[in-house]
Amino acid sequence: MKKSLTAILTSLLMLGSLPVCQAADQALTLPDYVYDVVRQMIEEEKLSNTETIELNHKTWALTFSDDFDGDTLDDSKWERCPEQERSDLGAYWSDSCSWLDGEGHLVINVRKQDGRYCSGAIQTQGKFEQAYGYFEIRCKLQSEPGFWTAFWLMGDTVGNVGNGSQDGVEIDIMEALKREDPVIHHNLHWDGYGVHHQTTGTDVTVPGIFDGYHTFGLEWNEEAYIFYVDGQETWRTTADGICTAPLFIIISAEVGTWGGDITQAALPDSMLVDYVKVYQEVKPV
């Protein structure tokens, strides 16, 4: 049976880690640069079999994706966010408000249930986290006012204070409020959510953004955060330094006064997600 190049190179790497006897009291190992070359060749072969895209004159290799096929959320990638109160109106995240529709979409739903407003939220915490990369969602936004939908990154160290956003930052790649049609929000938050809380952001006008499907993306590199809507750059910032900590993904909806008057909404209403994809930059040797 023909072995793959990766298998051959991996075997060589393992073999090279074993001493080769020259004499009873002398052993020979491969030079360090040989290990580096072999490891690079293995990575290059893996990338050759991986989906890649070109963005900003860089090559990016796929590290995470979900097309939401089937009728059950993939629990190897996602979990539903803990059910908890989320806003000034007593609204909460509920497990019952997120599901797959069997037609290739994740449904993030908002409804009134048991006398309270509830909404859906899922995350990759503990299952997929990445520092730097290109993060993208394709989705159809909600139709009604009174709540907002979001595609954002979060980390366990966002509450740390004193090192700017470098050790942890909440990155709101997209927040959408129907009452502000056709506006999209990009925001960053760091140094926790108390007295030391810091934030920066921008609002972007995108005509027709609540009609049909659109993509929202973030390029997070060592020098900047670069935001995109439908492939067009909409904001670039360095905040208070660039985060170096891995972050996980959240897709959510929340009911609160910021979203407008929820009593004017014809519920239930939903955001439909077509896919989520994450890439890592392929850097030249």
Side-chain angles (χ1 to χ4, degrees), residues 78 135-137 139 149-153 171-175 216-218 249-252 271 276-278:
W78 305 96
F135 300 75
E136 184 176 88
I137 189 172
C139 61
T149 51
F151 175 52
W152 48 300
L153 306 182
I171 307 177
D172 300 321
I173 301 173
M174 173 277 289
E175 291 181 296
F216 304 91
L218 167 76
I249 302 166
I250 302 179
I251 307 171
S252 64
M271 172 174 68
V276 171
K277 294 185 179 183
V278 183

mmCIF file with all atom_site columns, all heavy atoms in Angstrom, residues 78 135-137 139 149-153 171-175 216-218 249-252 271 276-278:
data_model
loop_
_atom_site.group_PDB
_atom_site.id
_atom_site.type_symbol
_atom_site.label_atom_id
_atom_site.label_alt_id
_atom_site.label_comp_id
_atom_site.label_asym_id
_atom_site.label_entity_id
_atom_site.label_seq_id
_atom_site.pdbx_PDB_ins_code
_atom_site.Cartn_x
_atom_site.Cartn_y
_atom_site.Cartn_z
_atom_site.occupancy
_atom_site.B_iso_or_equiv
_atom_site.pdbx_formal_charge
_atom_site.auth_seq_id
_atom_site.auth_comp_id
_atom_site.auth_asym_id
_atom_site.auth_atom_id
_atom_site.pdbx_PDB_model_num
ATOM 1   N N   . TRP A 1 78  ? -19.774 22.608 19.017 1.00 0.00 ? 78  TRP A N   1
ATOM 2   C CA  . TRP A 1 78  ? -20.576 23.625 19.687 1.00 0.00 ? 78  TRP A CA  1
ATOM 3   C C   . TRP A 1 78  ? -21.211 23.085 20.962 1.00 0.00 ? 78  TRP A C   1
ATOM 4   O O   . TRP A 1 78  ? -21.444 21.887 21.096 1.00 0.00 ? 78  TRP A O   1
ATOM 5   C CB  . TRP A 1 78  ? -21.718 24.097 18.779 1.00 0.00 ? 78  TRP A CB  1
ATOM 6   C CG  . TRP A 1 78  ? -21.314 24.602 17.444 1.00 0.00 ? 78  TRP A CG  1
ATOM 7   C CD1 . TRP A 1 78  ? -21.294 23.892 16.263 1.00 0.00 ? 78  TRP A CD1 1
ATOM 8   C CD2 . TRP A 1 78  ? -20.881 25.927 17.112 1.00 0.00 ? 78  TRP A CD2 1
ATOM 9   N NE1 . TRP A 1 78  ? -20.879 24.694 15.228 1.00 0.00 ? 78  TRP A NE1 1
ATOM 10  C CE2 . TRP A 1 78  ? -20.628 25.953 15.720 1.00 0.00 ? 78  TRP A CE2 1
ATOM 11  C CE3 . TRP A 1 78  ? -20.719 27.108 17.845 1.00 0.00 ? 78  TRP A CE3 1
ATOM 12  C CZ2 . TRP A 1 78  ? -20.202 27.100 15.053 1.00 0.00 ? 78  TRP A CZ2 1
ATOM 13  C CZ3 . TRP A 1 78  ? -20.286 28.254 17.189 1.00 0.00 ? 78  TRP A CZ3 1
ATOM 14  C CH2 . TRP A 1 78  ? -20.034 28.244 15.814 1.00 0.00 ? 78  TRP A CH2 1
ATOM 15  N N   . PHE A 1 135 ? -12.021 34.998 10.618 1.00 0.00 ? 135 PHE A N   1
ATOM 16  C CA  . PHE A 1 135 ? -13.266 34.409 11.114 1.00 0.00 ? 135 PHE A CA  1
ATOM 17  C C   . PHE A 1 135 ? -14.417 34.961 10.278 1.00 0.00 ? 135 PHE A C   1
ATOM 18  O O   . PHE A 1 135 ? -14.543 36.175 10.112 1.00 0.00 ? 135 PHE A O   1
ATOM 19  C CB  . PHE A 1 135 ? -13.481 34.782 12.582 1.00 0.00 ? 135 PHE A CB  1
ATOM 20  C CG  . PHE A 1 135 ? -12.388 34.326 13.515 1.00 0.00 ? 135 PHE A CG  1
ATOM 21  C CD1 . PHE A 1 135 ? -11.152 34.977 13.545 1.00 0.00 ? 135 PHE A CD1 1
ATOM 22  C CD2 . PHE A 1 135 ? -12.582 33.255 14.373 1.00 0.00 ? 135 PHE A CD2 1
ATOM 23  C CE1 . PHE A 1 135 ? -10.149 34.576 14.411 1.00 0.00 ? 135 PHE A CE1 1
ATOM 24  C CE2 . PHE A 1 135 ? -11.584 32.834 15.243 1.00 0.00 ? 135 PHE A CE2 1
ATOM 25  C CZ  . PHE A 1 135 ? -10.358 33.499 15.254 1.00 0.00 ? 135 PHE A CZ  1
ATOM 26  N N   . GLU A 1 136 ? -15.297 34.075 9.778  1.00 0.00 ? 136 GLU A N   1
ATOM 27  C CA  . GLU A 1 136 ? -16.374 34.536 8.899  1.00 0.00 ? 136 GLU A CA  1
ATOM 28  C C   . GLU A 1 136 ? -17.668 33.781 9.153  1.00 0.00 ? 136 GLU A C   1
ATOM 29  O O   . GLU A 1 136 ? -17.659 32.566 9.409  1.00 0.00 ? 136 GLU A O   1
ATOM 30  C CB  . GLU A 1 136 ? -15.968 34.368 7.430  1.00 0.00 ? 136 GLU A CB  1
ATOM 31  C CG  . GLU A 1 136 ? -16.997 34.922 6.437  1.00 0.00 ? 136 GLU A CG  1
ATOM 32  C CD  . GLU A 1 136 ? -16.524 34.832 5.006  1.00 0.00 ? 136 GLU A CD  1
ATOM 33  O OE1 . GLU A 1 136 ? -16.755 33.778 4.366  1.00 0.00 ? 136 GLU A OE1 1
ATOM 34  O OE2 . GLU A 1 136 ? -15.912 35.807 4.532  1.00 0.00 ? 136 GLU A OE2 1
ATOM 35  N N   . ILE A 1 137 ? -18.773 34.512 9.076  1.00 0.00 ? 137 ILE A N   1
ATOM 36  C CA  . ILE A 1 137 ? -20.112 33.929 9.151  1.00 0.00 ? 137 ILE A CA  1
ATOM 37  C C   . ILE A 1 137 ? -20.904 34.400 7.935  1.00 0.00 ? 137 ILE A C   1
ATOM 38  O O   . ILE A 1 137 ? -20.720 35.524 7.460  1.00 0.00 ? 137 ILE A O   1
ATOM 39  C CB  . ILE A 1 137 ? -20.821 34.353 10.461 1.00 0.00 ? 137 ILE A CB  1
ATOM 40  C CG1 . ILE A 1 137 ? -22.126 33.575 10.674 1.00 0.00 ? 137 ILE A CG1 1
ATOM 41  C CG2 . ILE A 1 137 ? -21.107 35.854 10.456 1.00 0.00 ? 137 ILE A CG2 1
ATOM 42  C CD1 . ILE A 1 137 ? -22.765 33.816 12.039 1.00 0.00 ? 137 ILE A CD1 1
ATOM 43  N N   . CYS A 1 139 ? -24.922 34.724 7.024  1.00 0.00 ? 139 CYS A N   1
ATOM 44  C CA  . CYS A 1 139 ? -26.205 34.590 7.700  1.00 0.00 ? 139 CYS A CA  1
ATOM 45  C C   . CYS A 1 139 ? -27.236 35.553 7.135  1.00 0.00 ? 139 CYS A C   1
ATOM 46  O O   . CYS A 1 139 ? -26.903 36.518 6.431  1.00 0.00 ? 139 CYS A O   1
ATOM 47  C CB  . CYS A 1 139 ? -26.046 34.834 9.200  1.00 0.00 ? 139 CYS A CB  1
ATOM 48  S SG  . CYS A 1 139 ? -25.431 36.475 9.628  1.00 0.00 ? 139 CYS A SG  1
ATOM 49  N N   . THR A 1 149 ? -28.745 40.591 17.174 1.00 0.00 ? 149 THR A N   1
ATOM 50  C CA  . THR A 1 149 ? -28.027 39.350 16.901 1.00 0.00 ? 149 THR A CA  1
ATOM 51  C C   . THR A 1 149 ? -26.540 39.663 16.799 1.00 0.00 ? 149 THR A C   1
ATOM 52  O O   . THR A 1 149 ? -26.153 40.797 16.500 1.00 0.00 ? 149 THR A O   1
ATOM 53  C CB  . THR A 1 149 ? -28.527 38.708 15.606 1.00 0.00 ? 149 THR A CB  1
ATOM 54  O OG1 . THR A 1 149 ? -28.515 39.679 14.547 1.00 0.00 ? 149 THR A OG1 1
ATOM 55  C CG2 . THR A 1 149 ? -29.939 38.183 15.776 1.00 0.00 ? 149 THR A CG2 1
ATOM 56  N N   . ALA A 1 150 ? -25.718 38.642 17.024 1.00 0.00 ? 150 ALA A N   1
ATOM 57  C CA  . ALA A 1 150 ? -24.282 38.907 17.090 1.00 0.00 ? 150 ALA A CA  1
ATOM 58  C C   . ALA A 1 150 ? -23.465 37.677 16.724 1.00 0.00 ? 150 ALA A C   1
ATOM 59  O O   . ALA A 1 150 ? -23.873 36.536 16.970 1.00 0.00 ? 150 ALA A O   1
ATOM 60  C CB  . ALA A 1 150 ? -23.899 39.380 18.488 1.00 0.00 ? 150 ALA A CB  1
ATOM 61  N N   . PHE A 1 151 ? -22.301 37.957 16.151 1.00 0.00 ? 151 PHE A N   1
ATOM 62  C CA  . PHE A 1 151 ? -21.244 36.968 15.886 1.00 0.00 ? 151 PHE A CA  1
ATOM 63  C C   . PHE A 1 151 ? -20.014 37.535 16.553 1.00 0.00 ? 151 PHE A C   1
ATOM 64  O O   . PHE A 1 151 ? -19.526 38.600 16.160 1.00 0.00 ? 151 PHE A O   1
ATOM 65  C CB  . PHE A 1 151 ? -21.049 36.814 14.372 1.00 0.00 ? 151 PHE A CB  1
ATOM 66  C CG  . PHE A 1 151 ? -19.913 35.922 13.958 1.00 0.00 ? 151 PHE A CG  1
ATOM 67  C CD1 . PHE A 1 151 ? -19.772 34.637 14.458 1.00 0.00 ? 151 PHE A CD1 1
ATOM 68  C CD2 . PHE A 1 151 ? -18.980 36.369 13.021 1.00 0.00 ? 151 PHE A CD2 1
ATOM 69  C CE1 . PHE A 1 151 ? -18.735 33.817 14.053 1.00 0.00 ? 151 PHE A CE1 1
ATOM 70  C CE2 . PHE A 1 151 ? -17.936 35.558 12.602 1.00 0.00 ? 151 PHE A CE2 1
ATOM 71  C CZ  . PHE A 1 151 ? -17.814 34.275 13.119 1.00 0.00 ? 151 PHE A CZ  1
ATOM 72  N N   . TRP A 1 152 ? -19.509 36.858 17.604 1.00 0.00 ? 152 TRP A N   1
ATOM 73  C CA  . TRP A 1 152 ? -18.456 37.473 18.406 1.00 0.00 ? 152 TRP A CA  1
ATOM 74  C C   . TRP A 1 152 ? -17.499 36.443 18.976 1.00 0.00 ? 152 TRP A C   1
ATOM 75  O O   . TRP A 1 152 ? -17.771 35.246 18.994 1.00 0.00 ? 152 TRP A O   1
ATOM 76  C CB  . TRP A 1 152 ? -19.051 38.355 19.493 1.00 0.00 ? 152 TRP A CB  1
ATOM 77  C CG  . TRP A 1 152 ? -20.169 37.803 20.340 1.00 0.00 ? 152 TRP A CG  1
ATOM 78  C CD1 . TRP A 1 152 ? -21.385 37.364 19.914 1.00 0.00 ? 152 TRP A CD1 1
ATOM 79  C CD2 . TRP A 1 152 ? -20.196 37.695 21.773 1.00 0.00 ? 152 TRP A CD2 1
ATOM 80  N NE1 . TRP A 1 152 ? -22.162 36.984 20.979 1.00 0.00 ? 152 TRP A NE1 1
ATOM 81  C CE2 . TRP A 1 152 ? -21.478 37.192 22.127 1.00 0.00 ? 152 TRP A CE2 1
ATOM 82  C CE3 . TRP A 1 152 ? -19.283 38.000 22.778 1.00 0.00 ? 152 TRP A CE3 1
ATOM 83  C CZ2 . TRP A 1 152 ? -21.842 36.950 23.458 1.00 0.00 ? 152 TRP A CZ2 1
ATOM 84  C CZ3 . TRP A 1 152 ? -19.656 37.766 24.111 1.00 0.00 ? 152 TRP A CZ3 1
ATOM 85  C CH2 . TRP A 1 152 ? -20.910 37.246 24.432 1.00 0.00 ? 152 TRP A CH2 1
ATOM 86  N N   . LEU A 1 153 ? -16.342 36.967 19.430 1.00 0.00 ? 153 LEU A N   1
ATOM 87  C CA  . LEU A 1 153 ? -15.300 36.145 20.026 1.00 0.00 ? 153 LEU A CA  1
ATOM 88  C C   . LEU A 1 153 ? -15.150 36.531 21.493 1.00 0.00 ? 153 LEU A C   1
ATOM 89  O O   . LEU A 1 153 ? -15.239 37.701 21.860 1.00 0.00 ? 153 LEU A O   1
ATOM 90  C CB  . LEU A 1 153 ? -13.967 36.337 19.302 1.00 0.00 ? 153 LEU A CB  1
ATOM 91  C CG  . LEU A 1 153 ? -13.969 36.128 17.784 1.00 0.00 ? 153 LEU A CG  1
ATOM 92  C CD1 . LEU A 1 153 ? -12.552 36.306 17.232 1.00 0.00 ? 153 LEU A CD1 1
ATOM 93  C CD2 . LEU A 1 153 ? -14.515 34.762 17.410 1.00 0.00 ? 153 LEU A CD2 1
ATOM 94  N N   . ILE A 1 171 ? -14.412 40.500 21.065 1.00 0.00 ? 171 ILE A N   1
ATOM 95  C CA  . ILE A 1 171 ? -14.449 41.075 19.723 1.00 0.00 ? 171 ILE A CA  1
ATOM 96  C C   . ILE A 1 171 ? -15.832 40.829 19.130 1.00 0.00 ? 171 ILE A C   1
ATOM 97  O O   . ILE A 1 171 ? -16.192 39.692 18.807 1.00 0.00 ? 171 ILE A O   1
ATOM 98  C CB  . ILE A 1 171 ? -13.381 40.457 18.808 1.00 0.00 ? 171 ILE A CB  1
ATOM 99  C CG1 . ILE A 1 171 ? -11.985 40.544 19.439 1.00 0.00 ? 171 ILE A CG1 1
ATOM 100 C CG2 . ILE A 1 171 ? -13.400 41.146 17.448 1.00 0.00 ? 171 ILE A CG2 1
ATOM 101 C CD1 . ILE A 1 171 ? -10.890 39.882 18.620 1.00 0.00 ? 171 ILE A CD1 1
ATOM 102 N N   . ASP A 1 172 ? -16.608 41.878 18.998 1.00 0.00 ? 172 ASP A N   1
ATOM 103 C CA  . ASP A 1 172 ? -17.928 41.789 18.380 1.00 0.00 ? 172 ASP A CA  1
ATOM 104 C C   . ASP A 1 172 ? -17.762 42.016 16.881 1.00 0.00 ? 172 ASP A C   1
ATOM 105 O O   . ASP A 1 172 ? -17.730 43.160 16.406 1.00 0.00 ? 172 ASP A O   1
ATOM 106 C CB  . ASP A 1 172 ? -18.871 42.831 18.980 1.00 0.00 ? 172 ASP A CB  1
ATOM 107 C CG  . ASP A 1 172 ? -19.048 42.645 20.487 1.00 0.00 ? 172 ASP A CG  1
ATOM 108 O OD1 . ASP A 1 172 ? -19.121 41.485 20.927 1.00 0.00 ? 172 ASP A OD1 1
ATOM 109 O OD2 . ASP A 1 172 ? -19.095 43.657 21.210 1.00 0.00 ? 172 ASP A OD2 1
ATOM 110 N N   . ILE A 1 173 ? -17.618 40.934 16.160 1.00 0.00 ? 173 ILE A N   1
ATOM 111 C CA  . ILE A 1 173 ? -17.414 41.022 14.716 1.00 0.00 ? 173 ILE A CA  1
ATOM 112 C C   . ILE A 1 173 ? -18.631 41.658 14.052 1.00 0.00 ? 173 ILE A C   1
ATOM 113 O O   . ILE A 1 173 ? -18.509 42.467 13.128 1.00 0.00 ? 173 ILE A O   1
ATOM 114 C CB  . ILE A 1 173 ? -17.131 39.631 14.126 1.00 0.00 ? 173 ILE A CB  1
ATOM 115 C CG1 . ILE A 1 173 ? -15.881 39.024 14.798 1.00 0.00 ? 173 ILE A CG1 1
ATOM 116 C CG2 . ILE A 1 173 ? -16.965 39.705 12.609 1.00 0.00 ? 173 ILE A CG2 1
ATOM 117 C CD1 . ILE A 1 173 ? -15.621 37.586 14.409 1.00 0.00 ? 173 ILE A CD1 1
ATOM 118 N N   . MET A 1 174 ? -19.799 41.311 14.558 1.00 0.00 ? 174 MET A N   1
ATOM 119 C CA  . MET A 1 174 ? -21.046 41.884 14.039 1.00 0.00 ? 174 MET A CA  1
ATOM 120 C C   . MET A 1 174 ? -22.083 41.915 15.145 1.00 0.00 ? 174 MET A C   1
ATOM 121 O O   . MET A 1 174 ? -22.285 40.923 15.850 1.00 0.00 ? 174 MET A O   1
ATOM 122 C CB  . MET A 1 174 ? -21.564 41.042 12.875 1.00 0.00 ? 174 MET A CB  1
ATOM 123 C CG  . MET A 1 174 ? -22.945 41.430 12.351 1.00 0.00 ? 174 MET A CG  1
ATOM 124 S SD  . MET A 1 174 ? -24.335 40.728 13.294 1.00 0.00 ? 174 MET A SD  1
ATOM 125 C CE  . MET A 1 174 ? -24.224 39.004 12.847 1.00 0.00 ? 174 MET A CE  1
ATOM 126 N N   . GLU A 1 175 ? -22.734 43.072 15.313 1.00 0.00 ? 175 GLU A N   1
ATOM 127 C CA  . GLU A 1 175 ? -23.945 43.187 16.113 1.00 0.00 ? 175 GLU A CA  1
ATOM 128 C C   . GLU A 1 175 ? -24.958 43.942 15.272 1.00 0.00 ? 175 GLU A C   1
ATOM 129 O O   . GLU A 1 175 ? -24.641 44.997 14.701 1.00 0.00 ? 175 GLU A O   1
ATOM 130 C CB  . GLU A 1 175 ? -23.687 43.925 17.424 1.00 0.00 ? 175 GLU A CB  1
ATOM 131 C CG  . GLU A 1 175 ? -22.820 43.135 18.405 1.00 0.00 ? 175 GLU A CG  1
ATOM 132 C CD  . GLU A 1 175 ? -22.593 43.887 19.703 1.00 0.00 ? 175 GLU A CD  1
ATOM 133 O OE1 . GLU A 1 175 ? -21.947 44.963 19.648 1.00 0.00 ? 175 GLU A OE1 1
ATOM 134 O OE2 . GLU A 1 175 ? -23.042 43.416 20.756 1.00 0.00 ? 175 GLU A OE2 1
ATOM 135 N N   . PHE A 1 216 ? -19.996 38.380 7.262  1.00 0.00 ? 216 PHE A N   1
ATOM 136 C CA  . PHE A 1 216 ? -19.336 39.267 8.206  1.00 0.00 ? 216 PHE A CA  1
ATOM 137 C C   . PHE A 1 216 ? -18.037 38.595 8.623  1.00 0.00 ? 216 PHE A C   1
ATOM 138 O O   . PHE A 1 216 ? -18.040 37.425 9.020  1.00 0.00 ? 216 PHE A O   1
ATOM 139 C CB  . PHE A 1 216 ? -20.222 39.513 9.428  1.00 0.00 ? 216 PHE A CB  1
ATOM 140 C CG  . PHE A 1 216 ? -21.585 40.062 9.085  1.00 0.00 ? 216 PHE A CG  1
ATOM 141 C CD1 . PHE A 1 216 ? -22.661 39.200 8.861  1.00 0.00 ? 216 PHE A CD1 1
ATOM 142 C CD2 . PHE A 1 216 ? -21.786 41.422 8.961  1.00 0.00 ? 216 PHE A CD2 1
ATOM 143 C CE1 . PHE A 1 216 ? -23.912 39.689 8.531  1.00 0.00 ? 216 PHE A CE1 1
ATOM 144 C CE2 . PHE A 1 216 ? -23.040 41.933 8.613  1.00 0.00 ? 216 PHE A CE2 1
ATOM 145 C CZ  . PHE A 1 216 ? -24.104 41.059 8.406  1.00 0.00 ? 216 PHE A CZ  1
ATOM 146 N N   . GLY A 1 217 ? -16.908 39.320 8.502  1.00 0.00 ? 217 GLY A N   1
ATOM 147 C CA  . GLY A 1 217 ? -15.616 38.697 8.746  1.00 0.00 ? 217 GLY A CA  1
ATOM 148 C C   . GLY A 1 217 ? -14.693 39.553 9.581  1.00 0.00 ? 217 GLY A C   1
ATOM 149 O O   . GLY A 1 217 ? -14.859 40.776 9.689  1.00 0.00 ? 217 GLY A O   1
ATOM 150 N N   . LEU A 1 218 ? -13.704 38.898 10.161 1.00 0.00 ? 218 LEU A N   1
ATOM 151 C CA  . LEU A 1 218 ? -12.654 39.567 10.933 1.00 0.00 ? 218 LEU A CA  1
ATOM 152 C C   . LEU A 1 218 ? -11.314 38.954 10.593 1.00 0.00 ? 218 LEU A C   1
ATOM 153 O O   . LEU A 1 218 ? -11.143 37.735 10.691 1.00 0.00 ? 218 LEU A O   1
ATOM 154 C CB  . LEU A 1 218 ? -12.888 39.410 12.440 1.00 0.00 ? 218 LEU A CB  1
ATOM 155 C CG  . LEU A 1 218 ? -11.689 39.802 13.325 1.00 0.00 ? 218 LEU A CG  1
ATOM 156 C CD1 . LEU A 1 218 ? -11.563 41.321 13.415 1.00 0.00 ? 218 LEU A CD1 1
ATOM 157 C CD2 . LEU A 1 218 ? -11.786 39.188 14.718 1.00 0.00 ? 218 LEU A CD2 1
ATOM 158 N N   . ILE A 1 249 ? -15.780 31.185 19.799 1.00 0.00 ? 249 ILE A N   1
ATOM 159 C CA  . ILE A 1 249 ? -16.829 31.803 19.007 1.00 0.00 ? 249 ILE A CA  1
ATOM 160 C C   . ILE A 1 249 ? -18.164 31.741 19.734 1.00 0.00 ? 249 ILE A C   1
ATOM 161 O O   . ILE A 1 249 ? -18.489 30.722 20.361 1.00 0.00 ? 249 ILE A O   1
ATOM 162 C CB  . ILE A 1 249 ? -16.970 31.082 17.651 1.00 0.00 ? 249 ILE A CB  1
ATOM 163 C CG1 . ILE A 1 249 ? -15.644 31.101 16.873 1.00 0.00 ? 249 ILE A CG1 1
ATOM 164 C CG2 . ILE A 1 249 ? -18.084 31.694 16.813 1.00 0.00 ? 249 ILE A CG2 1
ATOM 165 C CD1 . ILE A 1 249 ? -15.639 30.131 15.701 1.00 0.00 ? 249 ILE A CD1 1
ATOM 166 N N   . ILE A 1 250 ? -18.948 32.804 19.631 1.00 0.00 ? 250 ILE A N   1
ATOM 167 C CA  . ILE A 1 250 ? -20.333 32.811 20.092 1.00 0.00 ? 250 ILE A CA  1
ATOM 168 C C   . ILE A 1 250 ? -21.217 33.363 18.975 1.00 0.00 ? 250 ILE A C   1
ATOM 169 O O   . ILE A 1 250 ? -20.866 34.352 18.330 1.00 0.00 ? 250 ILE A O   1
ATOM 170 C CB  . ILE A 1 250 ? -20.516 33.664 21.363 1.00 0.00 ? 250 ILE A CB  1
ATOM 171 C CG1 . ILE A 1 250 ? -19.619 33.165 22.501 1.00 0.00 ? 250 ILE A CG1 1
ATOM 172 C CG2 . ILE A 1 250 ? -21.982 33.644 21.803 1.00 0.00 ? 250 ILE A CG2 1
ATOM 173 C CD1 . ILE A 1 250 ? -19.733 33.989 23.785 1.00 0.00 ? 250 ILE A CD1 1
ATOM 174 N N   . ILE A 1 251 ? -22.354 32.710 18.755 1.00 0.00 ? 251 ILE A N   1
ATOM 175 C CA  . ILE A 1 251 ? -23.405 33.214 17.874 1.00 0.00 ? 251 ILE A CA  1
ATOM 176 C C   . ILE A 1 251 ? -24.641 33.352 18.742 1.00 0.00 ? 251 ILE A C   1
ATOM 177 O O   . ILE A 1 251 ? -25.058 32.382 19.389 1.00 0.00 ? 251 ILE A O   1
ATOM 178 C CB  . ILE A 1 251 ? -23.696 32.261 16.705 1.00 0.00 ? 251 ILE A CB  1
ATOM 179 C CG1 . ILE A 1 251 ? -22.408 31.914 15.949 1.00 0.00 ? 251 ILE A CG1 1
ATOM 180 C CG2 . ILE A 1 251 ? -24.712 32.868 15.748 1.00 0.00 ? 251 ILE A CG2 1
ATOM 181 C CD1 . ILE A 1 251 ? -22.592 30.811 14.916 1.00 0.00 ? 251 ILE A CD1 1
ATOM 182 N N   . SER A 1 252 ? -25.247 34.547 18.780 1.00 0.00 ? 252 SER A N   1
ATOM 183 C CA  . SER A 1 252 ? -26.299 34.749 19.767 1.00 0.00 ? 252 SER A CA  1
ATOM 184 C C   . SER A 1 252 ? -27.308 35.794 19.331 1.00 0.00 ? 252 SER A C   1
ATOM 185 O O   . SER A 1 252 ? -27.094 36.567 18.390 1.00 0.00 ? 252 SER A O   1
ATOM 186 C CB  . SER A 1 252 ? -25.687 35.186 21.101 1.00 0.00 ? 252 SER A CB  1
ATOM 187 O OG  . SER A 1 252 ? -25.050 36.455 20.975 1.00 0.00 ? 252 SER A OG  1
ATOM 188 N N   . MET A 1 271 ? -32.542 34.633 13.311 1.00 0.00 ? 271 MET A N   1
ATOM 189 C CA  . MET A 1 271 ? -31.410 34.772 12.407 1.00 0.00 ? 271 MET A CA  1
ATOM 190 C C   . MET A 1 271 ? -31.087 33.372 11.886 1.00 0.00 ? 271 MET A C   1
ATOM 191 O O   . MET A 1 271 ? -31.065 32.407 12.663 1.00 0.00 ? 271 MET A O   1
ATOM 192 C CB  . MET A 1 271 ? -30.191 35.350 13.135 1.00 0.00 ? 271 MET A CB  1
ATOM 193 C CG  . MET A 1 271 ? -28.920 35.338 12.286 1.00 0.00 ? 271 MET A CG  1
ATOM 194 S SD  . MET A 1 271 ? -27.494 36.183 13.074 1.00 0.00 ? 271 MET A SD  1
ATOM 195 C CE  . MET A 1 271 ? -27.141 35.075 14.437 1.00 0.00 ? 271 MET A CE  1
ATOM 196 N N   . VAL A 1 276 ? -20.198 28.934 9.282  1.00 0.00 ? 276 VAL A N   1
ATOM 197 C CA  . VAL A 1 276 ? -19.116 29.612 10.003 1.00 0.00 ? 276 VAL A CA  1
ATOM 198 C C   . VAL A 1 276 ? -17.818 28.960 9.569  1.00 0.00 ? 276 VAL A C   1
ATOM 199 O O   . VAL A 1 276 ? -17.721 27.727 9.530  1.00 0.00 ? 276 VAL A O   1
ATOM 200 C CB  . VAL A 1 276 ? -19.276 29.492 11.537 1.00 0.00 ? 276 VAL A CB  1
ATOM 201 C CG1 . VAL A 1 276 ? -18.029 30.018 12.241 1.00 0.00 ? 276 VAL A CG1 1
ATOM 202 C CG2 . VAL A 1 276 ? -20.509 30.244 12.005 1.00 0.00 ? 276 VAL A CG2 1
ATOM 203 N N   . LYS A 1 277 ? -16.820 29.789 9.224  1.00 0.00 ? 277 LYS A N   1
ATOM 204 C CA  . LYS A 1 277 ? -15.517 29.271 8.837  1.00 0.00 ? 277 LYS A CA  1
ATOM 205 C C   . LYS A 1 277 ? -14.423 30.088 9.509  1.00 0.00 ? 277 LYS A C   1
ATOM 206 O O   . LYS A 1 277 ? -14.554 31.305 9.666  1.00 0.00 ? 277 LYS A O   1
ATOM 207 C CB  . LYS A 1 277 ? -15.329 29.316 7.317  1.00 0.00 ? 277 LYS A CB  1
ATOM 208 C CG  . LYS A 1 277 ? -16.258 28.388 6.557  1.00 0.00 ? 277 LYS A CG  1
ATOM 209 C CD  . LYS A 1 277 ? -15.962 28.373 5.061  1.00 0.00 ? 277 LYS A CD  1
ATOM 210 C CE  . LYS A 1 277 ? -16.892 27.402 4.340  1.00 0.00 ? 277 LYS A CE  1
ATOM 211 N NZ  . LYS A 1 277 ? -16.576 27.303 2.888  1.00 0.00 ? 277 LYS A NZ  1
ATOM 212 N N   . VAL A 1 278 ? -13.344 29.391 9.886  1.00 0.00 ? 278 VAL A N   1
ATOM 213 C CA  . VAL A 1 278 ? -12.185 30.045 10.505 1.00 0.00 ? 278 VAL A CA  1
ATOM 214 C C   . VAL A 1 278 ? -10.936 29.561 9.780  1.00 0.00 ? 278 VAL A C   1
ATOM 215 O O   . VAL A 1 278 ? -10.806 28.367 9.463  1.00 0.00 ? 278 VAL A O   1
ATOM 216 C CB  . VAL A 1 278 ? -12.078 29.725 12.009 1.00 0.00 ? 278 VAL A CB  1
ATOM 217 C CG1 . VAL A 1 278 ? -10.897 30.474 12.628 1.00 0.00 ? 278 VAL A CG1 1
ATOM 218 C CG2 . VAL A 1 278 ? -13.376 30.073 12.735 1.00 0.00 ? 278 VAL A CG2 1
#
